[in-house]
Structure formats: C-alpha cells, structure tokens
Amino acid sequence: MMRRRFRYDLWTFVLIAAWVILLILLIWPLSSILRASLLDNETGAFSFVHYFQIFTTRVYQRAIGNTLIAGFGGMAGALVLGVTLAFVTTRFHIYGRALIQTLAVVALVSPPFIGAYAWIVLFGASGVVRKGLASIGISIPPLYGMLGVILVFAFKFFPHVFLITSGALSAINRSVEEAAESLGVSPARRLFTVTFPLILPAISASALLTFVLSIADFGTPRIIGRDFNVLATEAFNLYGGEVGGNPGMASALSIVLIILSMIIVFGQRWVLRKNVYHSNLIKKPERQHVGGVKSVGLHVLAYAIVLIGALPAIIVVLFSFRRTSGPVFQPGLSLQSYEKVISTVSDPIWNTLLFSTVAVVAIVITGTLIGYLISRRPNIATGALDATLMIPYVVPGIVMGIAFITRFNDPPLALTGTGLIIIMAVFIRRLPYSARSVAAALKQVGPNLEDAAVSLGYSPGKAFMKVTVPLIVPGILAGALMSFVTAMNELSSSLVLYVGSTITMPVRIYLSVMDGEYGTASALSTILLVMTVVAVYAAFHLSGRKESALL
Amino acid sequence: MAGLKIHGLAKSYRDVRVLENIDLDIASGEFFTLLGPSGCGKTTLLRTIAGFQHQDRGEIIVNGERIDHKPAHKRDIGMVFQDYAVFPHLTVAENVAFGLKARSLPKAEIESRVAESLAMVRLDGYQNRLPAEMSGGQQQRIGLARAMAIRPTLLLMDEPLSNLDAKLRIELREDIRDIQRRLGITTIYVTHDQEEALAVSDRICVMNKGNVEQIGTPFEIYRKPQRRFAAAFVGTMNFLPGRMQGGQLTVGSHSVPFPHGVGTGSVEVAIRPENVLLTGASADGEAIALRGEVRKVTFLGREAHYTLSTEAGEIVAQVADPDRDFIEMEGRPVEVRLPLQKVVLFQSNGDVLSAGRP
Ligand SMILES: Nc1ncnc2c1ncn2[C@@H]1O[C@H](COP(=O)(O)OP(=O)(O)OP(=O)(O)O)[C@@H](O)[C@H]1O
Ligand SMILES: [Mg+2]
C-alpha cells in the first residue's frame, strides 16, 4: 500500500503553532518543577530523597489517601447533582430555567476562598444555620473534616457537570431514544442503557474535571478540612515558606499530584476509546410537560440543588452590606465596605477585566482550532497534543505560578511582574477547557456536513467557519464562558505571580480574608460576582441566541 | 462538460480492502449508475472521487486532467449524501444557496437558481423552514436541490431517492434524468433499486465486494450478463446445473447441440423467468425441454409467476396476461422449454461461457 501523502493546509500550521505554545508555556516551565523535585535541597545534587520521603512519611501517605478521597468524593457528589439537574432541566418543562441557570453560574463563580468562609459562617462550629437548627432541636455536626470538604466540593463543582452535560443532553438525536422506547425499553432503563452511554463523553469529561478541581483545590481543605490534610495543602504550606519552606519536597508533592491526576485522565481516555457518535442534530429532544406531584418534586429538586450551590455567594452578598468595624461585623446595614473598596482598591477591578478578557479571546481562538484538530484529524501528532493538553488541566495553579516565576525571570523572557505573565498562566491553565468543550461538541456534528460544504466549493477553512463553527457555537460559548468565569476568579497562579501593580480581585479578596477584613472581602467578592454574571449574560446576549447560551 | 476516467483505484480502511482495483471510463454527459449490494464500496468510491478521502493507489482523471492532487473544494464535484448532510442551522433556501454563494454569483441569479432547484424537488414554499421541521424525504430533497443548484462538472448522487415513496421516487428520477440531460452534467448515481437503475441509466456498473463485475447499458446488463453475479443481482434469474461435452449441452435428461459452447465441464444454465416457456407455447429454434410440475402460482395482475419443480431443479416462469385456466394449474405436470437463444451459460468461476446465439 502506498503511503498517504502528508498534505499541508491550515491544520498543519495550527498543529505546529499549538506545539510551540505548549512547549513554551507548559513544558519548559514545568520542567523546572520536575528538576527541583529531583534535587537535594542542601547539596543540590540529583536524588530521589523527596520521593523516598513521601512514601515513607505518614503525614504524606495520609495526604495522598485524603487527596484521593476528596477527589473521588467531590467528583461523585458533583456528578450526582450536576447530571440530575441537567436531566431535569433539559427533559422536563421547568419554570424559571433562566433563573436556575443564573444560580448555577452564581454557584460556579462563588468567589474563591471566601466561599469556604461562607460555609463556615453557615455550618461551622458556631454557624448560623447550625445554631438555628439546634434551637429547634435538630443537631447536625459542624461542617469540618472529610465529609464537609466533600460536600462543599460537590456543591461548588456541580455547575461544571451541569453545563457540560446539559449541552450534550439537549443535542441527542431524539430518534435514538425513541427507537429504544419502541423496542420496549422502559424510560428508566433507557436512561442508563441509551441516554447516558450517548453522553458518556460529556459525563466522563465532567467527572474528570471535577476530580481534578477537587484535588487541586487548597482553599476548601485549608479552611474546612482541619486535620484533613491533602497534597495541595501540604504543597502549599511547603512552598509558602512560612517555616523556611522546602521547595524540593513541595515540588515532589506537586509531581505526585500531577501523576495521580494524569492516571485519572488516561482512565477517562480508556473509557472513551471507542466512543464516536455522530448525529446530525436534526431531531432535538423535547421538554416533557408533567403535572401534579411529579412536577412539584422536579421543581423542588432543581431549585434545591442550585440554591444550596449558590448559598455561599448569597451569604457573601448579604454580608457585604453589613456594617463593620474593622474585622468585626456590627448590627445594621451600610455601604461602608463598598466605599472603602472604591476609594482604596479599584485597580484590581480593571486588572481583572483586562487580564481575563485578553486571556479568554486567546483561549477561545486557540481552543477552537485545537479542539477541531484533536477530534477531526486524529493522528499521532494530534493525539500527543491532546494528551499533553491534559497537563495544564491537572497542574495546581500554585505549581504553575511557581514554574512560571522560575522560568520567565530572566531575559529573553523576563516577564515577572508584568500583566502578561498572569495572562499567560491563565491562558495555558484554561486552554484545555475550551479545546475539550469544542472537541465534545464536534463529536455530535457529523463530519459529512463539512464534506458537503467542501463539495459545494468551500475550502476546508471556509467550510469549517460556515458550517462547523455555527453548529458548535454552543460548545465554543460554553467553553468560553467557563474560561472567562475561571479566568476572572483565578486565584492560585495569580497569587504567586502578582506584584502591586498587577494585583487582581481574587488576590485582593484572599489578602483581605487573610487580614480579617471580611467586609471588604465581601464587597469585593460581590463586585466580582456581579461582573462575572454580567459578562456571562452579555456574551449570551451578543451571541444573539434566543435559547440560553448555557443550555 | 466532462468525462471521467478511473484507473486501478484501490482503497483500504486500515487493513480492510474496500475497493480492490476499479477501472471506469465515463463519457461526458453520461448518466452512470453504480449498482451493488450493501457494503460493496459504492459510497467509498464516490467519496474518493469527490476527494473527501484519498485513494491508496490509482488515478482519477476528469477531462484528461488528473485531479487526485486537487483538494475536494477545487474539484467542482457536487455530491448528494446518503445521510443527507443537510445543514441544520440554515433554512431550506440558505442550504440550497450555500454553494452558489461560494461561487459569488449575482444575487438575482442565486435567487432564481434556488427557486428553480426547489421547484424541481417539489419543495417550493418551504424556503424559510429549518431542516428540523422537515420529514426525512424532504431533507433528502434539500440535499438533492443543493447539489444540482451549483451545476457541477460532475455530480455524485448516493441513493438520493431512498427515502421517498414509490410515486415521488419515479417522478423525481424522471426529473433528475431530464435536468441532467438538459444541463449535460456527467452523473454518477448510486442505487439499490435495480428498476431505478435500468430506467434512468445510460450505463450501469454492477459492483460486488469492491470489484467491478460488469459495465454496460441497461439492456446489456439485463440481457447479456457477463458475470454470474450481475445476472443474479439484476432482475430475477433461474440457474440450473448443466454439463457441456463435445458441443452438447445436457440439462436434466435432455441434451441439445450447443455448437458455440466450447470446452468440457459443468456449467450453470441461466434464464430469465419471462423467457421460460410452458406447454403449448411454441419456441423459435432449438430449446431445452424439461419435464416438471407446477408447485405454486402467484397471480400478480398483469402477469403470473409459476414456481416449477423440474428434473433439473426449481425454476420460476413468468407468464404475461395469464388466462383463467393457467391460474388453476397448481399441481399439474407441465412441459417446460428453455429456448437456447435466451439461455446464458456461466462457468464455475462466474464468467459467461456464451451469451445466447448470434
Ligand atoms: N470509516 C470506515 N472505517 C472502516 N470501514 C469502513 C468505513 N466506512 C466504510 N467501511 C466499510 O467499507 C465497506 C464499504 O462501505 P461503503 O459505505 O462504501 O458501502 P456502500 O456500498 O455504500 O453500502 P450501502 O449501500 O449500504 O450504503 C463496508 O464493508 C464498510 O463496513
Ligand atoms: Mg453507501
């Protein structure tokens, strides 16, 4: 057989450019972490001493175990909540779908760090809700430790699952489900034998995402976990350097964390190895009208999930209007927290807007092209690209930040202290979101459509723009929204990379919480929240879609 | 307009050979039909010609120019897809105008061609609908109108009428044929429906397992099959075992001289049901005579089918405009005559031995 000629086109260029980006922004910086983990702190000689310690020291072993518990626990909780909500809202007629989506977005952007703080305010040892329940005779344990962490993760991360799977659910070809029905499969069985397998790519992608988010999160276990230590908190403490620091050990822990996550990544790959379903999006599923008890039950279920998810954000908004005196909240309402924010700290607002906008524009363009490449031009080079692209997914923000500082400190790439380095970190961290959601959306668009456009005289590039892009706009938009929301709320890498002039809102909030200025933190969080929600709806409005951009 | 030549085309999906070694020579303006069982590689051949996938070897030549290296969108080859591939985000009119816009035609011209194409497929009035609001057959017709509208040098149609009712199918196939003649577009047409193939084609190519079995006019394919597969696949054909020896053909207990048949060995005797003669009917020239019995009579209106068991095997005879007493023949003995003029012999390798007598 003759070898197939390699043809140069737009996609060859995209492939090369993608590799260059990954080399400079990912592999090169991360190599510094790997290197540090393999050097003895004192002598600077090559050694496996850190890894050896991880597997012999009890506290690290416990951290590895806890990390896995938090990861799988958070993932399972988020999946149950997210898939349920997605199914209910895409398949049944629910009043106030827009409100549900808004609350889901609010839950998603529930500002970092202070979200965990809000949970404590509600369910901590002296939490408002806990005390209230105790006064009517219901006693629940305080929200600390393993269970608390898992619960918070579930309610913090389920919106990701919701957004990803509801897109897939509403794009299933109705005929396929109807065929199952006509073959005598009961609706409940059909759900598990037809519907879920069809959206397996979306479900497993969101499972992976929530797992990775859960194990990389250090704020929640830090505030709520108490003695429930995980790899992320251990690494953070060791990098933090409050007690001198141990960069070698911290790097080694980071590498272990990354490897654990990568195992899960390839697990998901394996699950999906044969999964190529195409449907032409012609017959979309319809929303069923139900009445009576069933309808009430579905509404309660949907609203309970999003309301609890949005609870921390709601608390923060309420607190931002409380009167404060220093770190202490006083009775009564006031705008004094906002006055303080406006008069002293408006820089972070502009920085946040600028950095995230630039990053997201770059992410959407690059991510769409790469997502296409991965799903439509499968070969060794794109397969490897896809696998490599999973690394930023699983690298904790702190680690990425430190890697960037190490590598971009000296000419020709002396970028520390600039806004660009913060943008670059956000870009590389969130690129996979966009690429993945585009790839997932493409799975549901038959490749014949593009062939049809080509046969009508459009070049592959034009056919892509005219046919494929409009069809995957929901996917692109979902990816863009997630990138934007996460870019605005990016804390961990910015925390390492910021200097006075490039401080962002999340960093400012974190510092305020650390200084005990909860009023300022709440006001800032509220502003961030409003900005995010406005951005989401602006995007949705600009895209001119009557249907919500999120579903 | 354009002729198409294909030399030694082969294509595999990983290690499965789907097209073995295809040679075709299609004249300019010809209506050329690919006919073959499901999975024989028809779609694959069309997609390779259109340029959506690249052949492993072989040449594709349009108008004397090799087009293998041209990207698909520069080939000016229109295609109607088996699964429609209608753009779900565009209205019916936008779907049809899609290819015209790529050619930057003037707006008025686009509008008139859209209207004309939609009228052709009987979809006028549906301009502003979205494909999701149309039936499967209507979607299929959008795909058809869309490909015809650009008036390509070469038009490939992959079962474009498979989803339509019998009446519309006949109407549209005549329309397609008329427009194709009028515009002189060289067309390759894929169908499962032999009647459709016989009705519209200039020539038919019978394919099997990635090979060309026979190419010929509808008459040649039906009357002068060159391969056993083509004979069996197109129309109904009776096959009886026979033996050739010394210029004599033996079927059952009967031997007749068969001077044109050369060689010695077992052969298969093939004859169409409409050429089988029953008692009473007189044959011109020589015929194989067999004794048999009528097993079953199926009355179909303008004709009747007789299933006969003979000493050489079971055969079906077709009688046009049957009389009443013909219908009541079930269970009766009958003499069957197979006119040598109408008989085709196949060797055991499937090649024809002699297609009737001159
Ligand atoms: N992408 C693919 N990968 C592997 N094998 C394939 C692929 N596409 C088609 N085939 C195989 O190639 C053979 C020919 O397929 P093709 O679609 O050309 O058949 P066809 O003649 O058009 O059939 P039909 O009349 O059912 O449409 C089939 O056996 C099919 O299973
Ligand atoms: Mg086919």
Side-chain angles (χ1 to χ4, degrees):
Chain A
M1 198 208 298
M2 208 171 86
R3 271 197 59 206
R4 195 180 164 149
R5 256 176 308 280
F6 191 76
R7 276 180 283 175
Y8 289 90
D9 58 8
L10 169 72
W11 299 110
T12 318
F13 172 75
V14 172
L15 181 62
I16 294 169
W19 272 113
V20 170
I21 290 175
L22 285 190
L23 275 178
I24 297 179
L25 292 187
L26 184 68
I27 295 168
W28 166 241
L30 281 185
S31 65
S32 71
I33 302 288
L34 186 61
R35 185 167 175 273
S37 77
L38 290 171
L39 295 183
D40 190 302
N41 284 332
E42 265 87 71
T43 62
F46 176 87
S47 101
F48 282 109
V49 60
H50 302 303
Y51 292 98
F52 184 72
Q53 276 175 17
I54 290 178
F55 293 104
T56 50
T57 315
R58 255 197 70 76
V59 61
Y60 294 137
Q61 287 170 349
R62 236 167 57 83
I64 293 180
N66 287 345
T67 302
L68 291 177
I69 292 173
F72 283 112
M75 174 182 94
L79 275 184
V80 170
L81 296 176
V83 172
T84 307
L85 187 63
F87 188 77
V88 170
T89 54
T90 52
R91 291 306 158 82
F92 296 99
H93 191 83
I94 298 285
Y95 291 97
R97 258 162 30 91
L99 180 62
I100 289 181
Q101 286 157 24
T102 311
L103 287 172
V105 171
V106 167
L108 186 73
V109 302
S110 166
F113 222 83
I114 200 159
Y117 162 72
W119 283 110
I120 296 286
V121 167
L122 292 173
F123 293 98
S126 54
V128 185
V129 176
R130 229 184 123 246
K131 276 190 176 161
L133 286 176
S135 69
I136 55 167
I138 303 171
S139 99
I140 52 171
L143 187 79
Y144 295 115
M146 182 181 85
L147 215 61
V149 170
I150 290 178
L151 270 177
V152 171
F153 280 164
F155 278 101
K156 191 171 172 187
F157 296 135
F158 86 85
H160 290 284
V161 182
F162 168 63
L163 293 180
I164 297 174
T165 49
S166 52
L169 268 175
S170 57
I172 287 184
N173 191 340
R174 196 170 77 216
S175 312
V176 177
E177 290 188 338
E178 284 167 354
E181 203 170 336
S182 74
L183 293 170
V185 179
S186 74
R189 257 184 67 96
R190 187 181 78 207
L191 193 61
F192 288 95
T193 55
V194 177
T195 310
F196 286 163
L198 276 176
I199 59 164
L200 190 64
I203 291 187
S204 63
S206 49
L208 175 65
L209 175 61
T210 49
F211 179 85
V212 165
L213 288 172
S214 300
I215 71 172
D217 187 326
F218 76 93
T220 307
R222 195 147 197 247
I223 293 191
I224 293 180
R226 292 276 166 91
D227 58 347
F228 185 73
N229 68 327
V230 295
L231 284 174
T233 50
E234 293 294 341
F236 181 71
N237 291 339
L238 291 169
Y239 275 129
E242 284 149 33
V243 282
N246 183 349
M249 193 66 215
S251 302
L253 284 176
S254 308
I255 296 287
V256 171
L257 190 59
I258 293 172
I259 290 173
L260 277 182
S261 313
M262 283 311 274
I263 292 174
I264 303 296
V265 165
F266 286 107
Q268 188 237 6
R269 290 290 172 89
W270 188 81
V271 169
L272 286 186
R273 69 203 176 284
K274 289 232 148 170
N275 215 300
V276 230
Y277 299 125
H278 295 297
S279 66
N280 279 341
L281 297 178
I282 295 268
K283 274 199 188 297
K284 292 199 180 168
E286 278 171 349
R287 292 196 178 81
Q288 210 179 320
H289 281 266
V290 289
V293 182
K294 197 174 173 195
S295 171
V296 172
L298 290 173
H299 279 85
V300 169
L301 184 63
Y303 278 96
I305 293 175
V306 284
L307 278 175
I308 297 178
L311 205 54
I314 295 170
I315 292 296
V316 165
V317 173
L318 293 180
F319 274 34
S320 72
F321 293 105
R322 284 179 67 176
R323 184 182 300 281
T324 60
S325 137
V328 189
F329 285 107
Q330 305 286 326
L333 299 178
S334 120
L335 287 176
Q336 87 195 82
S337 298
Y338 287 96
E339 281 158 16
K340 185 155 178 240
V341 168
I342 306 292
S343 63
T344 60
V345 284
S346 65
D347 265 6
I349 300 181
W350 300 119
N351 282 342
T352 302
L353 276 179
L354 178 68
F355 297 165
S356 29
T357 308
V358 174
V360 167
V361 170
I363 287 170
V364 167
I365 296 172
T366 323
T368 304
L369 294 173
I370 292 182
Y372 181 90
L373 205 58
I374 289 169
S375 72
R376 286 294 156 84
R377 306 287 146 120
N379 59 42
I380 293 177
T382 57
L385 181 71
D386 191 17
T388 312
L389 208 56
M390 295 314 285
I391 299 176
Y393 222 66
V394 304
V395 175
I398 305 249
V399 176
M400 195 66 101
I402 288 172
F404 266 50
I405 286 219
T406 322
R407 289 301 193 199
F408 298 128
N409 205 21
D410 307 307
L413 290 170
L415 299 172
T416 39
T418 63
L420 184 61
I421 196 170
I422 295 183
I423 294 174
M424 283 175 6
V426 171
F427 170 80
I428 197 69
R429 289 199 66 202
R430 302 308 171 193
L431 184 59
Y433 285 52
S434 173
R436 300 252 96 202
S437 65
V438 167
L442 275 171
K443 282 231 163 85
Q444 295 192 312
V445 178
N448 259 356
L449 287 178
E450 216 168 286
D451 287 348
V454 168
S455 81
L456 293 167
Y458 288 83
S459 66
K462 271 208 181 130
F464 172 69
M465 287 305 295
K466 291 243 166 202
V467 173
T468 312
V469 170
L471 288 174
I472 57 172
V473 158
I476 296 181
L477 222 56
L481 279 179
M482 269 194 212
S483 318
F484 192 70
V485 165
T486 47
M488 296 246 288
N489 292 282
E490 171 75 26
L491 171 65
S492 44
S493 71
S494 311
L495 195 56
V496 180
L497 295 171
Y498 87 96
V499 293
S501 62
T502 61
I503 190 166
T504 62
M505 302 263 288
V507 174
R508 187 69 253 170
I509 296 169
Y510 173 81
L511 297 177
S512 301
V513 172
M514 284 291 128
D515 294 347
E517 295 176 32
Y518 296 120
T520 321
S522 301
L524 273 167
S525 298
T526 307
I527 296 174
L528 184 59
L529 193 65
V530 170
M531 276 168 34
T532 315
V533 173
V534 166
V536 167
Y537 280 87
F540 153 41
H541 193 75
L542 286 180
S543 75
R545 295 161 59 84
K546 283 187 224 86
E547 276 264 302
S548 161
L550 298 177
L551 281 190
Chain B
M1 282 301 123
L4 171 73
K5 280 195 176 63
I6 289 176
H7 291 309
L9 199 73
K11 169 79 192 165
S12 311
Y13 289 116
R14 283 181 214 95
D15 44 359
V16 186
R17 264 292 175 86
V18 178
L19 297 178
E20 296 280 352
N21 187 7
I22 304 283
D23 289 303
L24 296 178
D25 190 345
I26 301 174
S28 178
E30 186 167 330
F31 196 105
F32 192 86
T33 298
L34 300 177
L35 185 62
S38 185
C40 72
K42 304 181 295 289
T43 300
T44 306
L45 177 56
L46 288 197
R47 289 179 56 82
T48 310
I49 296 173
F52 301 137
Q53 56 199 21
H54 211 262
Q55 66 266 37
D56 301 333
R57 50 183 174 72
E59 305 176 355
I60 304 172
I61 298 160
V62 173
N63 261 350
E65 183 199 352
R66 274 191 74 163
I67 60 163
D68 323 24
H69 305 297
K70 269 201 200 171
H73 68 283
K74 298 228 173 96
R75 294 190 183 186
D76 194 31
I77 295 179
M79 176 138 176
V80 181
F81 290 80
Q82 190 167 9
D83 59 358
Y84 325 150
V86 170
F87 306 128
H89 60 303
L90 301 180
T91 63
V92 173
E94 285 167 344
N95 259 286
V96 179
F98 196 81
L100 301 171
K101 287 192 180 138
R103 288 163 174 69
S104 5
L105 295 180
K107 209 163 169 255
E109 166 89 18
I110 292 184
E111 273 171 23
S112 73
R113 279 228 219 156
V114 168
E116 180 196 16
S117 310
L118 286 178
M120 180 199 91
V121 298
R122 319 279 147 91
L123 282 181
D124 21 9
Y126 289 89
Q127 269 85 343
N128 298 318
R129 290 251 203 127
L130 281 173
E133 304 156 353
M134 317 265 298
S135 75
Q138 288 169 332
Q139 288 175 25
Q140 192 165 37
R141 282 181 275 157
I142 303 174
L144 190 58
R146 186 177 65 185
M148 300 280 266
I150 60 170
R151 316 234 164 109
T153 30
L154 187 62
L155 181 57
L156 312 177
M157 299 199 233
D158 200 351
E159 304 188 28
L161 306 180
S162 59
N163 245 323
L164 308 180
D165 63 75
K167 190 159 168 288
L168 192 57
R169 193 149 67 207
I170 293 176
E171 275 175 29
L172 277 188
R173 85 180 184 211
E174 296 304 327
D175 288 355
I176 290 177
R177 184 66 169 125
D178 287 345
I179 295 171
Q180 185 268 340
R181 278 228 179 89
R182 183 154 54 83
L183 302 176
I185 303 176
T186 313
T187 299
I188 303 182
Y189 188 94
V190 169
T191 181
H192 277 134
D193 183 340
Q194 331 151 9
E195 187 195 308
E196 193 170 293
L198 295 171
V200 295
S201 317
D202 288 320
R203 281 192 303 158
I204 296 172
C205 167
V206 180
M207 285 179 68
N208 184 32
K209 294 185 185 156
N211 281 305
V212 171
E213 291 280 340
Q214 182 177 356
I215 299 176
T217 63
F219 182 84
E220 287 166 346
I221 294 287
Y222 193 80
R223 284 286 166 225
K224 299 187 163 55
Q226 296 296 312
R227 295 271 303 156
R228 188 192 189 280
F229 179 85
F233 189 75
V234 181
T236 317
M237 185 67 100
N238 293 302
F239 289 99
L240 294 174
R243 260 196 91 69
M244 274 305 292
Q245 200 159 32
Q248 287 274 340
L249 170 66
T250 312
V251 180
S253 57
H254 188 88
S255 289
V256 284
F258 200 87
H260 289 265
V262 282
T264 300
S266 57
V267 292
E268 275 192 289
V269 178
I271 187 161
R272 299 268 179 211
E274 63 267 32
N275 295 332
V276 176
L277 300 176
L278 299 184
T279 329
S282 65
D284 309 336
E286 288 183 75
I288 302 165
L290 295 171
R291 267 190 308 281
E293 189 190 289
V294 179
R295 273 277 131 91
K296 199 173 84 185
V297 182
T298 315
F299 179 63
L300 294 172
R302 89 189 132 179
E303 66 201 34
H305 286 177
Y306 288 68
T307 310
L308 313 162
S309 64
T310 71
E311 49 190 313
E314 190 157 282
I315 59 177
V316 176
Q318 180 186 323
V319 175
D321 195 14
D323 294 333
R324 170 174 288 276
D325 58 336
F326 260 114
I327 295 166
E328 288 163 358
M329 279 195 24
E330 247 170 69
R332 296 208 205 144
V334 68
E335 189 172 329
V336 182
R337 293 164 64 80
L338 313 178
L340 281 189
Q341 253 182 0
K342 308 280 186 181
V343 158
V344 185
L345 300 187
F346 291 101
Q347 295 166 305
S348 47
N349 68 2
D351 276 340
V352 75
L353 185 63
S354 161
R357 287 183 170 186

